[in-house]
Amino acid sequence: MRSYLSVGTTVLVLLFGFEGAAAACAVCSAGEVGMTPREAGRAAPGAFGANVDVRAGSLRLGDTTRLSEWRTEGSVHVAPTEGFRFRVAVPVLARQLVGPSLGDDRKPVAGDVSASMDAQISDTREGRWRRSFVLTVGLAFPTAPAMVDAKGAYLPSILQPGCNSLVPETIASYRFSKGPYSLTLAPRVRLPIPVRDAPHRGATIGLGASGQWQPHPRFATRLGTNVRYELEGADAEGRGDGVSGGFVTYLSPEIAMRPTLDVTWTVGLFAPIVQATAGGQRETVVFVTGLSWAI
């Protein structure tokens, strides 16, 4: 069963993927309604592992500003006791920002470091159906710099590499499986608490749903949809910035492969199919890949 469940490598919905507070960056936002914890099975005592998650995409703000990002997040996790898993994730962003007062700015920057805990609340079987419930709680820290334009003014929250806030979040992941098929539902809530006099994003609620077919222990395909609603962000003075927040729905196909029993590789994308956002935001397709190693 462990091999069946371990294909949930990337957080799609995710954090802790294209979510933690690092989801303040444009690319991160696509996955911030992650599907399940990256290792979806019950954690064995003493289990240890590492992940690398890479995402690339872009965001347009109006007709003049474009942000392109390549986000790489490394993380490690450990399970000190059965059913509990602790994780620390560190992202790095390679960004190209083009627009008024910006020129053509290209630079790598640190993202917001996050820590989280997964707790398996229940894991039951009725006939051929198996049901599990995993609760994830996390906290992201404002380790990304607060960025300014060529005139020294803060960039709006949607263009910041981090949240400039402490960001607690909760994900409740429900998984139903039968044979090679499974369905995961994952509501998510994120509530930024500003700790800097700098722009910050608004609160976010989301819902992810993903169906998976695994015809072989080393191969699985997945198709999901992620819905995110975000409140308007604020500027450095705490006023609404008028260019962030709104509603986005993504379609997210994915393939997961296991070249060895301990390594899982996933490839997929987030395609925004509905965008009702403030300030003329337009997100492009975000390409994602992840590598997980169970040590």
Side-chain angles (χ1 to χ4, degrees):
M1 191 65 184
R2 180 182 176 185
S3 64
Y4 175 76
L5 291 169
S6 64
V7 296
T9 301
T10 55
V11 101
L12 288 175
V13 3
L14 261 188
L15 114 173
F16 273 145
F18 206 44
E19 300 245 346
C25 67
V27 169
C28 310
S29 297
E32 65 179 355
V33 267
M35 295 309 311
T36 60
R38 287 179 177 149
E39 299 73 36
R42 178 181 290 273
F48 177 78
N51 293 74
V52 176
D53 181 70
V54 179
R55 301 169 182 262
S58 63
L59 169 76
R60 288 190 178 274
L61 190 58
D63 297 326
T64 59
T65 302
R66 181 184 178 92
L67 172 64
S68 299
E69 286 186 344
W70 180 289
R71 182 178 191 267
T72 302
E73 180 182 273
S75 65
V76 294
H77 61 267
V78 63
T81 61
E82 185 175 5
F84 289 88
R85 181 182 295 111
F86 295 90
R87 176 189 308 278
V88 175
V90 181
V92 177
L93 314 175
R95 296 159 48 96
Q96 180 182 21
L97 190 55
V98 180
S101 301
L102 299 171
D104 186 348
D105 187 23
R106 308 184 187 195
K107 63 176 64 176
V109 297
D112 286 345
V113 173
S114 62
S116 62
M117 180 190 73
D118 304 333
Q120 185 149 20
I121 306 302
S122 65
D123 187 6
T124 61
R125 185 184 293 274
E126 297 180 9
R128 297 181 62 188
W129 283 97
R130 185 167 189 169
R131 299 176 174 84
S132 62
F133 172 41
V134 177
L135 183 66
T136 300
V137 292
L139 182 65
F141 302 89
T143 54
M147 299 192 70
V148 298
D149 61 20
K151 298 179 180 179
Y154 282 117
L155 298 178
S157 64
I158 193 71
L159 300 180
Q160 291 286 334
C163 265
N164 298 309
S165 306
L166 287 171
V167 187
E169 75 168 350
T170 301
I171 308 172
S173 301
Y174 302 88
R175 185 179 178 89
F176 308 88
S177 59
K178 181 180 180 181
Y181 304 100
S182 64
L183 173 67
T184 303
L185 302 175
R188 183 173 192 164
V189 178
R190 176 177 292 127
L191 299 171
I193 303 171
V195 294
R196 291 177 178 167
D197 293 329
H200 58 272
R201 298 288 284 269
T204 301
I205 58 173
L207 176 65
S210 179
Q212 177 179 283
W213 175 54
Q214 186 179 6
H216 189 274
R218 297 193 180 220
F219 176 80
T221 61
R222 200 177 294 133
L223 181 63
T225 180
N226 299 322
V227 179
R228 184 187 84 238
Y229 177 72
E230 181 181 343
L231 297 179
E232 181 184 12
D235 60 18
E237 285 73 41
R239 299 185 297 261
D241 59 21
V243 294
S244 63
F247 175 86
V248 182
T249 299
Y250 304 91
L251 187 66
S252 54
E254 187 181 26
I255 295 174
M257 294 163 281
R258 301 183 68 216
T260 72
L261 292 178
D262 297 327
V263 175
T264 304
W265 178 39
T266 60
V267 179
L269 57 84
F270 288 93
I273 55 176
V274 177
Q275 299 190 60
T277 52
Q281 302 172 56
R282 300 298 297 176
E283 297 184 18
T284 66
V285 172
V286 176
F287 298 93
V288 302
T289 185
L291 190 66
S292 175
W293 181 27
I295 304 170

